[in-house]
Every structure is written in structure tokens, then in C-alpha cells.
């Protein structure tokens, strides 16, 4: 899943290439991903519109178009954007091909077709639950520790689930939640009601430090391959049986709550039977 650090870099890349660009046409290869919220034909209505702004909120990219239109991309698990020449091989997972007047193409690819591409007017944003039901963005002004504690109060679940839900701080998904909790040395399945004050303070700090550090790495490494998810620099996520960079122990990866969680049993002690 592209998360806030990925999308920060993708947005920066597209800002210098898409702003002012005009849509010449669109090919809908698998249109079920489209959520057309307007009583118009998507393809014909899009032609001739210019990209006037690109915003990011949480794990969504919002393209402001001329004439009172917006294109909002929610990549979900496997969605990604690709900027390329028309001669570039079309992947089987390609959903949309947007032809730009510049001669370049913007493509949306999604292997599992779990993402959504919304076409709407700006006054319809409130109808998109994934956009409206979110807390402050992780790259907005940092929550104070007191604000963070206040935001935690309504929750009773496991700390990783609270972080990824997005209502406390938006933009963090499975990969960076693993990294944040490893950095904070907190067991990912521990109930937030059982976190010590010191653990809460470490999680609060790590939410911002880990994501900011990731952006710095991604800015150096993504280049023009914005459709690639670069994860090899992460400390524990997806590193089953590899050495923990902090203690040298073995990284554990288990599947629980329908997702994989990576952590170090030594640095993040805990048990699924004692939460």
C-alpha cells in the first residue's frame, strides 16, 4: 500500500510534470475501479481539462481539474501511478491510461483492483468516507503530546490497529506502522489502554520521526519509478528471519487481523495471549 511517505514523493514528482497539463484522452481498461460521482460520461468529460492542483491527504492523491472537477486516487493495497512514454509496455494490471497533451501518459495500475478512482466536483468531497473520516495528516503540524494523548482516549484496541486506522493520525499503513512500533520498542498487539506513559511518548515521537526519515530516503531513491514501492531500507517490515538492526535478533512476521505484522520479539516483547 502506498502510504504517506510514498505519496509525498509521488506528488512532488508529478507537480513538476502534470500541473498545467491537459487531458487528451483516457482509456478505461478495467472501469470497475472508477467511482463516477457525476452524471456525465467520464472519458468525454475529462478531455480538454487541465490539471490545476495536486494535493495529498493521508493515503489519497487529489487532482484539481479545470472547470470544477476533481480526480481523487485512493490506491489501497496495490494501486500505483506511473508516468511514462506511450511506447512503454502496458502492464496487465493497468486500469487507466490517461493521455496528456504533452505526449506523456499517466497510468493507474492496480494488481488486485482494490483501489478507487473518484471523479467528482469539489463540493462532493464529503461523500468520500476515506477522505472525510481521517485525523490530522502525519505531515501536517505535529500533534503535541497532550493532543496525542487526547486523541488516543476513544480507542481500546491494539496499538497497531489504532495507528493504521487513520483517525488519530492519517497516512500511516501497515508497513510504516511496523516501523514506528519497532522504533518505539512497543509490541504491536498491545492494547492502547495498557501502554505506559513512556510507551505512548515513544510512539508519539516515532510516528513523526520514522515517516520523515522515510521521505528523505525515498526522495533520493524513487527517481522516475514512482510506481515502485521501495521498502528494502525499512528495519523490520517484510524482513522475516532477518536480523533486527537494533539487537541482532530475528525478525518475526505473523499474520493476524488479516494482515502481516513484522516485529522483533526481543525489542518488542509481548504475547498474543497477554494483551
Amino acid at each position: 500500500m502506498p502510504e504517506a511517505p510514498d505519496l509525498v514523493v509521488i506528488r512532488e514528482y508529478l507537480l513538476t510534470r502534470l500541473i498545467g497539463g491537459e487531458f487528451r484522452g483516457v482509456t478505461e481498461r478495467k472501469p470497475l475501479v472508477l467511482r463516477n460521482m457525476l452524471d456525465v460520461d467520464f472519458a468525454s468529460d475529462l478531455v480538454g481539462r487541465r490539471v490545476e492542483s495536486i494535493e495529498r491527504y493521508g493515503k489519497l492523491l487529489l487532482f484539481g481539474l479545470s472547470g470544477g472537477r476533481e480526480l481523487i486516487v485512493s490506491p489501497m493495497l496495490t494501486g500505483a501511478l506511473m508516468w511514462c512514454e506511450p511506447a512503454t509496455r502496458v502492464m496487465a494490471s493497468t486500469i487507466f491510461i490517461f493521455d496528456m497533451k504533452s505526449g506523456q501518459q499517466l497510468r493507474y495500475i492496480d494488481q488486485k483492483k482494490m483501489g478507487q478512482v473518484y471523479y467528482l466536483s469539489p463540493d462532493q468531497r464529503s461523500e468520500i468516507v476515506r477522505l472525510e473520516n481521517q485525523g490530522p495528516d502525519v505531515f501536517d503540524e505535529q500533534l503535541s503530546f497532550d493532543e496525542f494523548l487526547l486523541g488516543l482516549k476513544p480507542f481500546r484496541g491494539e496499538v497497531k490497529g489504532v495507528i493504521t486506522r487513520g483517525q488519530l493520525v492519517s497516512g500511516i499503513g501497515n508497513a510504516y506502522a511496523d516501523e514506528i512500533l519497532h522504533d518505539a520498542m512497543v509490541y504491536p498487539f498491545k492494547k492502547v489502554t495498557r501502554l505506559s506513559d513512556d510507551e505512548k511518548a515513544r510512539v508519539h515521537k516515532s510516528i513523526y520521526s520514522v515517516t520523515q526519515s522515510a521521505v528523505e530516503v525515498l526522495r533520493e531513491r524513487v527517481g522516475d519509478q514512482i510506481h515502485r514501492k521501495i521498502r528494502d531500507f525499512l528495519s523490520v517490515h517484510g524482513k522475516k528471519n532477518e536480523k533486527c538492526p537494533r539487537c541482532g535478533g530475528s525478525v518475526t512476521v505473523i499474520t493476524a487481523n488479516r494482515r502481516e505484522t513484522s516485529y522483533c520479539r526481543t525489542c518488542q516483547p509481548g504475547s498474543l495471549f497477554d494483551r
Side-chain angles (χ1 to χ4, degrees), residues 3 9 48 64 74 80 86 110 138 151-152 192 210 222 237 255 257 261 275:
E3 301 179 30
V9 176
S74 176
D110 194 338
V138 67
L152 271 180
V192 293
V210 167
V222 169
H237 180 75
T255 300
N257 301 327
T261 292
R275 293 176 288 168

Side-chain angles (χ1 to χ4, degrees), residues 147-172:
E147 290 170 330
F148 179 74
L149 291 178
L150 187 63
L152 271 180
K153 276 190 174 181
F155 299 102
R156 296 290 181 271
E158 297 165 354
V159 59
K160 180 176 179 178
V162 171
I163 291 173
T164 57
R165 187 175 301 176
Q167 292 173 314
L168 178 63
V169 177
S170 66
I172 300 166

Side-chain angles (χ1 to χ4, degrees), residues 111-128:
Q111 186 177 11
K112 295 190 176 181
K113 300 185 286 294
M114 292 176 65
Q116 295 95 33
V117 175
Y118 299 90
Y119 192 55
L120 67 159
S121 60
D123 60 3
Q124 293 176 300
R125 279 192 184 188
S126 61
E127 298 176 36
I128 301 177

Side-chain angles (χ1 to χ4, degrees), residues 73-230:
V73 178
S74 176
M76 295 297 288
L77 188 62
T78 58
L81 290 168
M82 184 176 186
W83 179 257
C84 60
E85 298 281 349
T88 304
R89 180 181 67 85
V90 177
M91 299 180 183
S93 56
T94 301
I95 307 295
F96 292 108
I97 300 174
F98 299 99
D99 290 293
M100 307 306 296
K101 192 175 181 180
S102 65
Q104 297 290 102
Q105 288 183 345
L106 178 68
R107 299 178 184 175
Y108 176 70
I109 56 181
D110 194 338
Q111 186 177 11
K112 295 190 176 181
K113 300 185 286 294
M114 292 176 65
Q116 295 95 33
V117 175
Y118 299 90
Y119 192 55
L120 67 159
S121 60
D123 60 3
Q124 293 176 300
R125 279 192 184 188
S126 61
E127 298 176 36
I128 301 177
V129 175
R130 294 188 186 280
L131 183 62
E132 289 297 306
N133 191 25
Q134 295 289 296
D137 188 85
V138 67
F139 289 107
D140 285 346
E141 183 177 354
Q142 182 173 322
L143 292 175
S144 69
F145 185 51
D146 286 342
E147 290 170 330
F148 179 74
L149 291 178
L150 187 63
L152 271 180
K153 276 190 174 181
F155 299 102
R156 296 290 181 271
E158 297 165 354
V159 59
K160 180 176 179 178
V162 171
I163 291 173
T164 57
R165 187 175 301 176
Q167 292 173 314
L168 178 63
V169 177
S170 66
I172 300 166
N174 195 47
Y176 285 100
D178 284 347
E179 294 300 294
I180 287 163
L181 293 171
H182 176 260
D183 186 70
M185 295 187 292
V186 171
Y187 182 58
F189 302 105
K190 192 170 187 176
K191 302 283 188 179
V192 293
T193 52
R194 298 189 62 184
L195 293 175
S196 68
D197 290 343
D198 185 55
E199 287 175 321
K200 291 174 184 176
R202 296 201 305 265
V203 171
H204 172 252
K205 180 182 177 181
S206 295
I207 281 174
Y208 297 102
S209 63
V210 167
T211 50
Q212 186 58 57
S213 295
V215 167
E216 293 168 8
V217 173
L218 293 170
R219 280 179 177 143
E220 292 183 359
R221 294 195 45 195
V222 169
D224 60 0
Q225 301 295 299
I226 60 171
H227 58 287
R228 292 177 56 237
K229 282 187 288 188
I230 298 175

Side-chain angles (χ1 to χ4, degrees), residues 9-23 50-52 54 63 82-85 100-106 222-226:
V9 176
I10 292 168
R11 175 182 176 270
E12 291 173 348
Y13 179 89
L14 292 176
L15 276 173
T16 62
R17 293 160 175 82
L18 262 185
I19 294 296
E22 184 178 313
F23 290 96
R50 297 181 309 280
V51 180
E52 296 183 337
I54 306 175
F63 298 85
M82 184 176 186
W83 179 257
C84 60
E85 298 281 349
M100 307 306 296
K101 192 175 181 180
S102 65
Q104 297 290 102
Q105 288 183 345
L106 178 68
V222 169
D224 60 0
Q225 301 295 299
I226 60 171

